[in-house]
Amino acid sequence: PQPSPTEPYNRPTPTPSVTAGPSPTPVTTCHGDSSGVSWSFSACPPVHGQPITLAVKWSSPIAGNRPVSVKIDFGSCGTCTVTPTSPANLDGSGAATFTMTVPKGAANSSVPVSGTIAIGGLFGPTAQIYAMPVQ
């Protein structure tokens, strides 16, 4: 017997399946380098209601005594954004240290800490902060 001319066409169409992509890599650090600006948190992971220190260093020959501003989002609560105001300038070597308290509303967050460090003046960079979530 000869095969039917419709044999290959009568087979059911396979159902496509969804292949899961890689899961996002969790953030497990509290330091980084962005736009030539290095930064680190003194407490890792950040703990809600506890003090934390952010150290900033811009490694540029023109870094000394430049204005600097910091904005940190410790999570997604209404009071989780912190904008420390002191010091207002990098020191003569291009470094600054900011001390603040991690908002209590950020407790047990799954959202990584994020923020910016903006160094003013001519050619001043804006660096990104991305660190592990608050515990």
Side-chain angles (χ1 to χ4, degrees):
Q2 294 202 357
S4 164
T6 59
E7 171 60 30
Y9 305 104
N10 290 337
R11 293 187 183 147
T13 304
T15 305
S17 62
V18 177
T19 303
S23 59
T25 304
V27 180
T28 58
T29 63
C30 294
H31 63 277
D33 189 301
S34 172
S35 301
V37 178
S38 59
W39 59 270
S40 64
F41 285 116
S42 63
C44 189
V47 178
H48 67 284
Q50 298 296 311
I52 192 168
T53 299
L54 172 67
V56 174
K57 173 75 172 154
W58 183 28
S59 56
S60 168
I62 62 169
N65 303 310
R66 298 286 177 169
V68 61
S69 63
V70 172
K71 177 183 173 189
I72 302 170
D73 293 314
F74 283 103
S76 55
C77 68
T79 59
C80 284
T81 300
V82 176
T83 308
T85 56
S86 180
N89 291 312
L90 299 173
D91 67 14
S93 69
T97 302
F98 299 88
T99 301
M100 64 212 84
T101 300
V102 178
K104 290 182 180 183
N108 304 313
S109 178
S110 61
V111 177
V113 173
S114 63
T116 56
I117 303 163
I119 298 175
L122 189 61
F123 306 113
T126 297
Q128 301 300 311
I129 295 172
Y130 198 62
M132 64 186 307
V134 174
Q135 303 298 303

